[in-house]
Amino acid sequence: VVGPATLTVTLRQPSGDPVRGARVRLEGHMSHAGMAPVLADATESASGVYDLRFAFTMQGDWVLLVSAALPGGPRVERRIDVARVRPSG
């Protein structure tokens, strides 16, 4: 629904071990043009678990772009489509 949300990203090595100490950032974009992106930086709440305080500011379809700068330099990026965010209530 429209409004604040806490989004959680979990990072793991191919071995299954958690990825600690990454810098995780999210850009939220509406699927239509004309709106500035909503940005959020994560905090590591547990080993390899990152929480982002985010706000869906409008109803409609969203595209979330998650990027993680891993320790040692590599970067991982994922796109998440969120359909039909609706008004609260």
Side-chain angles (χ1 to χ4, degrees):
V1 296
V2 172
T6 299
L7 307 175
T8 301
V9 174
T10 302
L11 298 176
R12 299 204 179 277
Q13 298 285 351
S15 65
D17 293 331
V19 175
R20 297 178 189 97
R23 286 183 297 122
V24 180
R25 182 172 189 125
L26 181 137
E27 285 185 32
H29 298 269
M30 293 293 298
S31 61
H32 58 78
M35 188 184 132
V38 177
L39 305 174
D41 291 312
T43 56
E44 190 170 5
S45 60
S47 184
V49 178
Y50 299 84
D51 292 331
L52 298 127
R53 294 174 56 131
F54 184 76
F56 290 100
T57 55
M58 293 180 65
Q59 69 182 26
D61 296 333
W62 285 76
V63 175
L64 305 181
L65 304 173
V66 180
S67 64
L70 306 179
R75 184 181 248 355
V76 176
E77 296 180 341
R78 294 289 183 268
R79 174 187 165 134
I80 302 166
D81 295 314
V82 179
R84 296 183 295 276
V85 171
R86 60 189 186 282
S88 60

